[in-house]
Amino acid sequence: MSYYIAPRFLDKLAVHITKNFLDLAGVRVPLILGIHGRKGEGKTFQCQLVFEKMGIEVTHISGGELESPDAGDPARLIRLRYRETAELIKVRGQMCVLMINDLDAGAGRFDEGTQYTVNTQLVNATLMNIADNPTDVQLPGSYDSTPLRRVPIIVTGNDFSTLYAPLVRDGRMEKFYWEPNRDDKVGIVGGIFAQDGLSQRELEQLVDTFPHQSIDFYSALRSRIYDEQVRDFIYQVGFEAVSLRVVNSTEKPPEFKKPDFSLSHLIASGKLMVAEQQRVQTSQLVDEYNRLNRRSQNYQPAPPTTVTPSNGSNQPNNGNGFQKQGGTNAHLSLETQEQIRQILAQGHKINFEHVDERRFRTGSWQSCGTIRIDTESDAMSTLESCLAEYNGEYVRLVGIDSKAKRRVVETIIQRPNGKN
């Protein structure tokens, strides 16, 4: 099967890799090429096609290998794989690269709830050190003065803004945002359905029917077309016997006739897949469960006591100085409620964090349940629960700009011993 390689993708990788094997006088070539973009757009697969076309051998590291219960192991793994790849270049006499898939998933920090570990710091520091000294990469506890061959590093990810900023700066990492245009999509989808007899016009119509879908959607669509054949096979053999027939059988493997790859059938199946995607996006059951859990279990307000304020009226008080004012939320001051409304009105999200007196000095704040709240009612109920559950601790309000991925407000609204 002949797959399509996007010309822009081929050009970017070929230039970056070749530059790293050339000795350009007075030119500092970035060692790392960061390929980022939306999920499912075929970044890794396009890399594989380019490597195959150029005859390049690849050493792989997964983002999942960048964390370990033993501090220092992921950083040592990167150095070890880099040195192994440098040795391959020397032995094979051909281009070799080190590729780290989903770097942001292993070394990125997505929000205030992501733990930043020692291994995360060491992985970022190690990649920075290798980018600065690509011919002098040592393993911990040993030293080899022999210069290594320079090894280009290709990393993929979805959002590189989650990575440590000095790592992605120009000079260390060259960035390439991969977003296939319509022509690229038609070419890639044509490679996926190359054996199925679709004309160029039908391929274009299929892509235009689902213009906002990523490349992996079309690959999953082709797989889904075979569901009818597999279903017929299961019913023919029987649910009880299908395991022995497929896994441990002396008979020849089952054969399937070519399914219906007509354009109308593909579009109908594609619309079913889109509907399933929308159900996932709109269900948000976890938010509903968290709200119910907070209200039924976490929030246990103390019984109100009657006090006589200076104005002579009787108002219930929770002992922390949060009085009920007319139709407003109990336990929350008017100032706090107004600040919540202002943050949400600006399109920001809200989170609440708590910390005890000992950890307050080190700034080790922890989130109070659901993060990134975007409705006033949820914010009020979450704050009430947080104040009640962490009565003897510091509680602060955090406003988050989701687009810029930064905090815009941090305000302490409760201090220990009822100092508010």
Side-chain angles (χ1 to χ4, degrees), residues 15-22 29-32 150-153:
V15 170
H16 176 81
I17 294 172
T18 304
K19 277 173 61 179
N20 272 278
F21 283 95
L22 297 176
V29 180
L31 184 73
I32 305 173
R150 186 183 178 100
V151 179
I153 299 177

Side-chain angles (χ1 to χ4, degrees), residues 325-337:
Q325 303 287 340
T328 59
N329 289 54
H331 315 297
L332 305 183
S333 69
L334 292 175
E335 181 183 356
T336 300
Q337 295 181 50

